[in-house]
Amino acid sequence: QLTVPLYETCHSLCSKRNFCSIYVENQTGCFIGDMTAGLNCFSSPRSPEDAYHAGRLMHGAVRVLQDLRDTQVFGLTQVFLERDCPGNPRSSCVEYCRLSCYSSLQCNFWQYYLGSGCWVDEGNVLHPLTNAQLRRGWDVAIAGEYIQHFCPGLGWTPAKEWTMTARDTICSKSSKPKELSH
């Protein structure tokens, strides 16, 4: 929990933190999630006092390295259940899942499983990824990607971006995070 200074908001505090991916503000304060996709973001508040304002931010950009439809990646974390998602599982729920991963600098894989929901990389997938960590021909996985986060527009070659991303280099402080809505 953070104390929000005068003339600041929970959103502005999150946008200034390079690894902040989500924020939640309620009557008890401002809560920031660093390098996480967030869990159960579609669950309803238990009471009116628990009502909140929340948002998701993406720092930098994302490059899709591989489509993961029909493939299961072992070690992913479930971030929301299909039944909790407000929308069509094959369209809006898949998009919410994609944005959940894109907002977390730690996430390199995301998948949407019919009947189950959204699964993302929260740092539990072993690297380098091998065939032992995959199940191919798994038609429950209707969408998913292997992605790379990078800092666009800094004049680097793709090879240099890969090296810098691999060493957890962050984008320059002058770049503004993108607001991701869902």
Side-chain angles (χ1 to χ4, degrees):
Q1 181 177 355
L2 297 174
T3 302
V4 179
L6 189 62
Y7 305 114
E8 290 276 359
T9 63
C10 199
H11 174 272
S12 67
L13 290 177
C14 183
S15 68
K16 291 176 184 175
R17 295 169 65 116
N18 290 311
F19 293 107
C20 182
S21 51
I22 56 173
Y23 64 92
V24 177
E25 193 166 20
N26 63 20
Q27 289 185 332
T28 60
C30 171
F31 301 88
I32 299 263
D34 287 338
M35 292 180 50
T36 181
L39 301 176
N40 303 315
C41 289
F42 294 118
S43 60
S44 299
R46 289 182 285 277
S47 69
E49 293 80 34
D50 290 336
Y52 55 85
H53 171 73
R56 180 175 301 284
L57 298 175
M58 182 175 93
H59 298 270
V62 168
R63 174 183 297 122
V64 177
L65 301 176
Q66 185 173 352
D67 185 307
L68 293 174
R69 264 179 292 204
D70 299 325
T71 303
Q72 180 183 21
V73 177
F74 299 121
L76 300 181
T77 301
Q78 187 171 30
V79 294
F80 65 82
L81 298 170
E82 183 173 273
R83 70 172 182 255
D84 294 337
C85 180
N88 183 319
R90 292 185 180 270
S91 57
S92 55
C93 296
V94 167
E95 180 66 5
Y96 298 150
C97 189
R98 183 180 68 82
L99 296 177
S100 294
C101 182
Y102 281 20
S103 67
S104 174
L105 290 175
Q106 183 170 255
C107 186
N108 294 304
F109 305 94
W110 70 269
Q111 296 193 284
Y112 193 87
Y113 304 150
L114 269 183
S116 176
C118 179
W119 296 75
V120 303
D121 179 12
E122 288 269 301
N124 297 321
V125 177
L126 299 174
H127 291 278
L129 191 66
T130 66
N131 283 329
Q133 296 153 266
L134 301 173
R135 179 193 309 178
R136 300 199 189 272
W138 202 55
D139 62 355
V140 173
I142 62 164
E145 295 171 330
Y146 171 29
I147 64 168
Q148 174 193 23
H149 294 271
F150 69 99
C151 302
L154 298 179
W156 300 327
T157 65
K160 180 131 180 163
E161 285 174 2
W162 179 267
T163 302
M164 297 184 83
T165 302
R167 285 187 295 197
D168 294 327
T169 300
I170 55 176
C171 296
S172 71
K173 293 202 181 259
S174 64
S175 68
K176 299 280 186 219
K178 266 189 228 170
E179 184 77 28
L180 299 176
S181 60
H182 59 283

